[in-house]
Amino acid sequence: MSVIQQIRDKYAALVITLIALSLVAFILMDAFVGGARGGNTSGSTLGKVNGEKIDKGRFDNMVNLQQQGQQGAQKDQIVNAVWSQTVDDMVMEQEYEKLGLQMTDRELNDLLFGANPPQWMTQYFGDGKGNVDIAKAKQSFAALKKQKGGDAQNVNDALIVPTINNQLRTKYMALLSQSSYIPKWMAEKFIADQNAIARFSYVSVPYASISDSAVKVSDDDIRKYVDAHKSDFRQEESSRSISYVTFNASPSSADSAAVLAQVQTAKSEFAAATDVQSYLSRVSTETPYFDGYVLGSQMQMPNADSIKSLADGQVFGPYLDGQNYVLAKMVGRRTMPDSVKVRHILIKTGEAGQPTLADSVASARIDSIAKAIQSGADFNAMVLKYSDDQGSKATQGEYQFAAAQFSGLSREFAEVAFYGRTGDKKTVKVENSGYSGYHYIEVMEQKGIGPAYNVAYLARPINASSETINTSSTAAGQFSSNSRNRKAFEENAKKAGLLPMTATDVKENDFSLNGVGENRSLVRWIYENKVGSVSEPFDLGDKYVVAMITSIDEKGVMSVTKARAMAEPFVRNEKKASMIIDTKFKSNPATLEAAAQAAGQTIEAADSVSFAQPFIPKIGNEPKITGLAFNKGLQGKVSAPVAGNTGVFVIKGESISAIPNAAVNVDDQRRQMEMQQKQMGAYRAIEALRKAADIKDNRFDFY
């Protein structure tokens, strides 16, 4: 493939944006060396970062570019990713300005064409050896320059700005890393802590000895716990929660039976059709007809073995494949390889619908090339001199393809490679949306030859009938109209035998809800109404949903209702700890034997417990108890009762020692710790800048 075609496939918009730009102007244009701000605007403000506007038109342009580069990705995922990247970039650009960090035209030129060019430069303009081919870049830009149109903004947004920002971030992180320092004593302390072990005896009463139902946790208990641990219960943006009921609108058994009958009726007509492609186009099918062969080993559909055993013209089915009833007709069979290696020379007559060379000239040229090679001319020399496929010049015109790539190739090219034989040399003419021209092809190698089948599928989806949909819609509408407040919602759900479900932590810019599915309209309704509001039915494809807003949690410390799920286990354990201490250890026993007798437990021993990994055998992770065991003042003494993660403990320190480790080098450890500090320091600094930024998010007004 040509470099131009690679760019077009990756970012279709770049074909427009690079027009009328010379290579020098592209590299040195002052507008590019200014970061992500400025450029074309729509006048609508999508948000602000420390008072600086995010233009909606510019933002949408970036979303469109990402959608072109990430086929199949959900729009909400792309919007959220672009928003996050935009905010990060603007926060950092503002910081770069404060520090005086910048990237000059000369630096950009050196970066693009120096020893370590960005990946996209080598991808589009590489020489096959990891270097940027400047001549190839000039040739590609010159070809694009001939086309009509013009707007450099997409190039700026998709390639130049990320390149500049990455380089500026590298400079910024380098500044931060130089401030990192770990003294030798800290490394020595770290090594000592890693090697320290303790031995102790203990008596424990697990929290599990008290039933959860015996401990009541009130809202006031939760509130006090949250107030004491605010940082653990802080949310960075507001959220809402709903309760909802669903009304099934998926296909009924009657709907499925009706589709099955339709497919059974079509079986004889499908079997009699001599032109399956025309027939399937006329009657429609969920599985488009591929007029080619598929290796039997790659046929993974249900009943594959039965289908492969069909005689030509015979039909199998109906059978169920996912949500379709299917008929399979054997059109033909042959053998073909699962992979091929070919080499070729391409002479183009057109590109992107624009003629580049007269057909007669191209035809004569490819014939001359074929004759020269057949007379002993060096194939690679012909590739380098004549081939218009820039992507294969570095590999002597060679390509390797798997059978699964057949449908992605020009049909004429693929048939020579896969349906011919090793050693075949043929000239074919191709015409497709990307280019047109002549290929001279030599089949160099074919591997994994096996049986392949041409199968046509008549597939009909099992869809819900209008009767099924109307029944569900009517039931949902009646429920909604009769349930205009929380009390009525809950009572009517109970009468109808409907189990209300919950969706929590719904953010205003979400496009989907956990358990409900994707429905931006429902999210907008949630944020346009108040607690207790009940919605009209929302159509979610195979069901109707009626929702009720149950809570609103503003930015900041969580409400008691929202925090309860996280806080309640800890509060309950605190209460259990108090109960255990008051009933089992109230006298504060002076010996472990007395503690064991009071608690009705046995004395246990923990040996070689590591300071670095506070895990107690048979108990689990107990950092508070392990830390107590390393208290030198507790050696030979009994502690007061201590509430741990899993229960209440009374311990007696027996010894503290260290495992000798001569292999550890203090200087190496210090350097390693310093490197980790440099890496984490830069990350945390960027994270802190974002948290400290004043960010106004207006996406809800537009999406």
Side-chain angles (χ1 to χ4, degrees):
M1 297 174 65
S2 68
V3 173
I4 297 173
Q5 186 63 39
Q6 289 182 53
I7 296 176
R8 184 177 294 113
D9 291 343
K10 179 75 173 175
Y11 291 112
L14 296 186
V15 176
I16 298 173
T17 61
L18 291 177
I19 299 162
L21 294 176
S22 68
L23 187 60
V24 174
F26 171 72
I27 297 170
L28 302 180
M29 184 177 291
D30 290 338
F32 285 168
V33 192
R37 290 165 279 172
N40 295 335
T41 62
S42 67
S44 298
T45 300
L46 192 65
K48 293 182 179 180
V49 178
N50 294 325
E52 187 173 353
K53 295 179 180 179
I54 299 175
D55 177 71
K56 183 177 181 297
R58 185 72 175 275
F59 184 88
D60 286 343
N61 190 51
M62 285 300 301
V63 170
N64 291 335
L65 284 173
Q66 290 293 328
Q67 284 182 305
Q68 293 170 23
Q70 300 179 43
Q71 297 295 328
Q74 296 292 331
K75 184 175 181 180
D76 64 306
Q77 297 173 336
I78 293 176
V79 168
N80 290 337
V82 173
W83 172 263
S84 180
Q85 188 63 54
T86 299
V87 171
D88 277 356
D89 287 345
M90 291 182 69
V91 166
M92 294 310 300
E93 285 173 21
Q94 292 165 2
E95 191 68 11
Y96 301 151
E97 287 187 3
K98 292 178 185 177
L99 297 172
L101 291 178
Q102 57 182 291
M103 188 171 182
T104 65
D105 296 346
R106 183 169 183 175
E107 284 182 291
L108 180 58
N109 183 72
D110 290 343
L111 177 62
L112 296 179
F113 294 102
N116 297 296
Q119 190 267 339
W120 62 267
M121 281 293 292
T122 54
Q123 178 183 349
Y124 297 146
F125 310 121
D127 61 0
K129 301 177 181 178
N131 303 312
V132 174
D133 187 331
I134 298 178
K136 181 188 293 185
K138 290 181 178 180
Q139 181 182 3
S140 299
F141 278 90
L144 290 169
K145 187 177 176 181
K146 296 177 182 178
Q147 302 178 32
K148 296 181 179 179
D151 179 10
Q153 196 64 60
N154 288 339
V155 169
N156 188 39
D157 291 346
L159 300 175
I160 300 300
V161 167
T163 299
I164 293 172
N165 283 342
N166 286 340
Q167 190 67 9
L168 288 173
R169 184 163 296 200
T170 299
K171 290 184 178 183
Y172 178 78
M173 294 176 69
L175 284 176
L176 290 179
S177 68
Q178 295 306 310
S179 66
S180 298
Y181 176 70
I182 297 292
K184 186 176 181 180
W185 67 263
M186 188 177 292
E188 291 173 338
K189 178 66 166 60
F190 178 82
I191 293 171
D193 289 344
Q194 291 294 106
N195 295 335
I197 58 173
R199 183 168 62 88
F200 60 95
S201 302
Y202 66 91
V203 172
S204 69
V205 180
Y207 296 137
S209 63
I210 300 176
S211 171
D212 286 353
S213 61
V215 181
K216 304 300 180 185
V217 179
S218 67
D219 285 351
D220 191 51
D221 292 330
I222 298 293
R223 186 177 296 106
K224 289 178 181 178
Y225 186 86
V226 170
D227 287 343
H229 304 83
K230 289 183 178 179
S231 61
D232 294 333
F233 295 91
R234 187 173 298 278
Q235 55 184 26
E236 297 302 321
E237 56 183 308
S238 63
S239 66
R240 300 192 174 197
S241 299
I242 63 168
S243 178
Y244 66 93
V245 292
T246 62
F247 297 83
N248 186 16
S250 59
S252 65
S253 57
D255 297 334
S256 178
V259 176
L260 177 59
Q262 291 175 9
V263 175
Q264 287 174 327
T265 301
K267 185 172 183 177
S268 59
E269 187 180 49
F270 186 36
T274 55
D275 185 346
V276 293
Q277 188 159 19
S278 297
Y279 174 79
L280 292 175
S281 297
R282 176 170 60 84
V283 301
S284 77
T285 176
E286 289 294 293
T287 305
Y289 176 55
F290 168 56
D291 187 13
Y293 294 83
V294 177
L295 283 167
S297 59
Q298 296 177 0
M299 294 174 65
Q300 303 298 322
M301 73 289 292
N303 303 296
D305 290 340
S306 297
I307 294 170
K308 286 185 283 189
S309 66
L310 293 172
D312 289 0
Q314 193 175 1
V315 176
F316 175 83
Y319 63 91
L320 189 63
D321 187 354
Q323 292 298 307
N324 298 315
Y325 277 115
V326 184
L327 294 171
K329 179 175 181 176
M330 180 62 70
V331 178
R333 67 191 72 221
R334 64 171 302 136
T335 59
M336 64 179 285
D338 63 12
S339 65
V340 297
K341 180 179 180 181
V342 300
R343 59 181 179 179
H344 82 126
I345 296 170
L346 170 64
I347 303 298
K348 288 185 180 178
T349 58
E351 188 162 8
Q354 299 295 320
T356 58
L357 185 67
D359 187 273
S360 58
V361 175
S363 177
R365 184 176 301 173
I366 202 73
D367 285 344
S368 298
I369 292 170
K371 290 177 181 177
I373 292 174
Q374 290 164 7
S375 299
D378 181 67
F379 198 103
N380 187 41
M382 296 291 103
V383 169
L384 294 173
K385 186 173 182 179
Y386 295 110
S387 183
D388 290 328
D389 180 8
Q390 303 298 324
S392 66
K393 282 200 170 185
T395 59
Q396 302 182 8
E398 294 180 7
Y399 280 116
Q400 294 189 52
F401 299 110
Q405 297 173 272
F406 185 103
S407 60
L409 301 172
S410 297
R411 185 176 184 84
E412 299 83 0
F413 189 106
E415 288 183 347
V416 172
F418 286 94
Y419 296 166
R421 297 181 177 181
T422 300
D424 283 355
K425 301 178 180 68
K426 291 186 178 181
T427 298
V428 296
K429 183 179 181 180
V430 300
E431 292 188 15
N432 54 48
S433 59
Y435 69 95
S436 58
Y438 292 88
H439 288 275
Y440 176 71
I441 308 165
E442 179 183 345
V443 182
M444 304 176 70
E445 186 178 71
Q446 294 179 325
K447 292 182 178 180
I449 295 176
Y453 306 89
N454 184 332
V455 182
Y457 301 95
L458 173 56
R460 291 285 168 79
I462 305 171
N463 292 327
S465 65
S466 57
E467 181 181 357
T468 297
I469 294 172
N470 289 337
T471 299
S472 177
S473 175
T474 300
Q478 290 176 346
F479 179 89
S480 174
S481 62
N482 295 330
S483 308
R484 303 319 297 166
N485 56 56
R486 185 166 193 156
K487 181 179 179 182
F489 182 95
E490 293 173 347
E491 288 179 350
N492 289 333
K494 187 175 182 179
K495 289 178 184 177
L498 298 170
L499 178 63
M501 307 293 286
T502 59
T504 61
D505 206 31
V506 181
K507 308 292 196 308
E508 69 173 353
N509 290 311
D510 287 345
F511 280 66
S512 60
L513 297 84
N514 289 333
V516 179
E518 184 173 352
N519 194 299
R520 179 61 180 162
S521 297
L522 176 54
V523 175
R524 292 191 66 86
W525 177 87
I526 293 170
Y527 273 85
E528 290 168 349
N529 291 275
K530 60 184 180 181
V531 171
S533 297
V534 178
S535 74
E536 297 297 324
F538 282 90
D539 182 0
L540 272 77
D542 62 347
K543 60 180 177 286
Y544 287 90
V545 169
V546 178
M548 176 183 64
I549 303 172
T550 55
S551 68
I552 296 176
D553 293 286
E554 301 297 345
K555 178 181 178 180
V557 179
M558 294 179 187
S559 66
V560 169
T561 302
K562 186 171 184 180
R564 176 173 282 275
M566 294 171 56
E568 188 169 8
F570 297 100
V571 175
R572 183 179 290 111
N573 282 349
E574 286 184 353
K575 285 178 169 284
K576 287 184 178 182
S578 296
M579 294 168 64
I580 291 170
I581 291 172
D582 288 344
T583 58
K584 304 292 186 180
F585 301 122
K586 191 171 184 179
S587 60
N588 203 5
T591 66
L592 275 187
E593 288 74 15
Q597 184 176 4
Q601 302 288 331
T602 59
I603 298 174
E604 302 286 348
D607 194 15
S608 300
V609 175
S610 169
F611 182 85
Q613 297 179 347
F615 183 88
I616 302 175
K618 297 189 293 185
I619 296 293
N621 192 48
E622 285 287 358
K624 187 185 295 186
I625 307 307
T626 302
L628 194 64
F630 282 89
N631 182 350
K632 293 182 179 179
L634 196 62
Q635 298 305 297
K637 300 178 182 178
V638 176
S639 74
V642 177
N645 288 340
T646 59
V648 175
F649 293 77
V650 175
I651 83 163
K652 178 184 178 182
E654 304 289 355
S655 67
I656 300 172
S657 58
I659 302 173
N661 190 350
V664 178
N665 182 280
V666 174
D667 289 333
D668 290 342
Q669 183 63 53
R670 189 194 70 78
R671 282 190 289 269
Q672 181 180 344
M673 292 171 66
E674 193 169 279
M675 180 62 67
Q676 292 174 344
Q677 187 183 79
K678 288 178 179 180
Q679 294 172 345
M680 292 304 299
Y683 166 76
R684 287 171 178 162
I686 295 170
E687 186 180 38
L689 286 171
R690 176 161 182 157
K691 285 185 176 180
D694 180 15
I695 300 171
K696 304 295 184 185
D697 187 348
N698 301 330
R699 282 180 290 165
F700 185 81
D701 298 334
F702 298 96
Y703 300 104

